[in-house]
């Protein structure tokens, strides 16, 4: 049975699909925010984690070496973990690489799959949180970068503006609330959600789109 956390805790990637509007069911993220992740069953993914880890680690190493050749100081994923505590919840994350050079900073995430706006928002959450929580970066304004296999997307520091912070904060407050949000069961979102029917009996069974016919066109 799912065990309650002592206090609400949110991992950055639980927020990204909701922030970009790709998903609208907040219940799964709310459930994770309030329950210890090792205390409930999850739907196993079809994703080949080992192959991803090998490819990801190789890319991180290549990019770190390139940045160091350019004279930049680079900190790795294992050095970049953070927990930012607010009044309602703690927000955790771990950027792949953080690079600094002459007072400027850049936060980098490396993606091996298809590009998605969720990746950009993930880096924006890091850009917001890292200077607040990691002592060595206090006062540094960070740009962001998402590096794919064949192109990069740069995110200016100005993207983390009042509107973004307000949307992020509102979502975190909703997920931290003791009142659960309404479930929005639908085949597409449930297909991406790892909460089982034990914890979410409303889980939509199959990703079958309903079809009909019209004579209007
Ligand atoms: S299984 Fe579906 S309804 Fe349940 S939390 Fe996940 S997305 Fe929402």
């Amino acid at each position: 049975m799912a065990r309650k956390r002592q206090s609400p805790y949110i991992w950055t990637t639980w927020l990204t699909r909701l922030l970009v509007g790709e998903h609208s069911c907040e219940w799964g993220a709310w459930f994770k925010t309030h329950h210890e992740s090792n205390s409930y069953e999850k739907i196993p993914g079809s994703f080949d984690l080992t192959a991803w880890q090998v490819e990801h680690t190789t890319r991180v190493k290549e990019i770190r070496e390139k940045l160091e050749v350019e004279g930049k100081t680079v900190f790795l994923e294992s050095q970049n973990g953070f927990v930012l505590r607010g009044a309602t919840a703690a927000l955790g994350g771990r950027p792949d690489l953080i690079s600094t050079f002459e007072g400027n900073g850049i936060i980098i995430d490396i993606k091996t799959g298809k590009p998605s706006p969720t990746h950009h928002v993930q880096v924006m959450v890091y850009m917001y949180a890292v200077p607040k929580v990691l002592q060595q970066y206090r006062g540094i304004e960070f740009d962001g970068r998402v590096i794919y296999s064949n192109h990069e997307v740069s995110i200016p520091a100005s993207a983390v503006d009042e509107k973004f912070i307000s949307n992020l904060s509102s979502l975190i407050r909703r997920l931290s609330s003791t009142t659960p949000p309404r479930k929005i069961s639908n085949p597409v979102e449930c297909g991406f959600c790892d909460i089982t029917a034990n914890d979410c009996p409303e889980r939509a069974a199959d990703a079958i789109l309903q079809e009909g016919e019209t004579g209007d066109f």
Side-chain angles (χ1 to χ4, degrees):
M1 184 169 155
R3 200 171 52 247
K4 289 270 284 175
R5 294 184 187 278
Q6 290 195 334
S7 55
Y9 173 81
I10 297 171
W11 185 247
T12 295
T13 54
W14 303 344
L15 302 172
T16 54
R17 282 201 171 107
L18 295 168
L19 279 171
V20 300
E22 229 173 64
H23 282 188
S24 51
C25 179
E26 296 182 356
W27 194 91
W30 175 87
F31 179 82
K32 293 177 180 184
T33 298
H34 291 270
H35 296 91
E36 299 282 356
S37 59
N38 60 359
S39 71
Y40 56 88
E41 265 187 90
K42 297 174 195 76
I43 304 266
S46 53
F47 186 64
D48 183 346
L49 187 60
T50 309
W52 174 82
Q53 261 169 349
V54 171
E55 190 183 347
H56 185 257
T57 305
T58 305
R59 287 289 287 150
V60 169
K61 184 169 173 292
E62 283 170 5
I63 290 156
R64 172 179 61 93
E65 287 172 354
K66 184 167 172 275
L67 290 165
E68 285 176 345
V69 166
E70 291 169 8
K72 292 169 181 155
T73 306
V74 185
F75 296 89
L76 298 173
E77 194 179 12
S78 54
Q79 301 170 292
N80 296 336
F82 65 83
V83 178
L84 178 61
R85 295 187 194 285
T88 58
L91 172 68
R94 199 166 47 227
D96 285 336
L97 294 170
I98 298 181
S99 161
T100 56
F101 183 66
E102 295 179 350
N104 298 311
I106 183 152
I107 295 179
I108 299 169
D109 233 52
I110 295 152
K111 301 294 184 190
T112 53
K114 279 198 299 187
S116 162
T118 60
H119 303 152
H120 314 160
V121 157
Q122 183 181 343
V123 169
M124 287 164 69
V125 175
Y126 296 153
M127 290 158 68
Y128 162 76
V130 162
K132 289 186 165 46
V133 67
L134 297 180
Q135 296 287 337
Q136 64 271 37
Y137 303 128
R138 286 267 161 90
I140 294 185
E141 196 178 58
F142 282 96
D143 291 321
R145 191 181 299 165
V146 184
I147 301 183
Y148 296 102
S149 56
N150 56 4
H151 73 290
E152 300 181 3
V153 175
S154 295
I155 304 164
S158 59
V160 183
D161 56 12
E162 277 181 28
K163 188 158 180 245
F164 175 78
I165 295 168
S166 166
N167 288 340
L168 173 67
S169 304
S170 300
L171 177 57
I172 289 176
R173 280 195 294 270
R174 288 198 300 281
L175 298 181
S176 317
S177 166
T178 51
T179 307
R182 193 163 65 88
K183 288 176 186 166
I184 303 176
S185 173
N186 65 88
V188 176
E189 291 188 40
C190 296
F192 280 100
C193 181
D194 61 358
I195 305 286
T196 68
N198 286 343
D199 294 307
C200 179
E202 294 82 355
R203 184 180 175 87
D206 291 306
I208 296 171
L209 280 182
Q210 299 190 50
E211 294 186 17
E213 290 185 4
T214 178
D216 293 341
F217 55 84

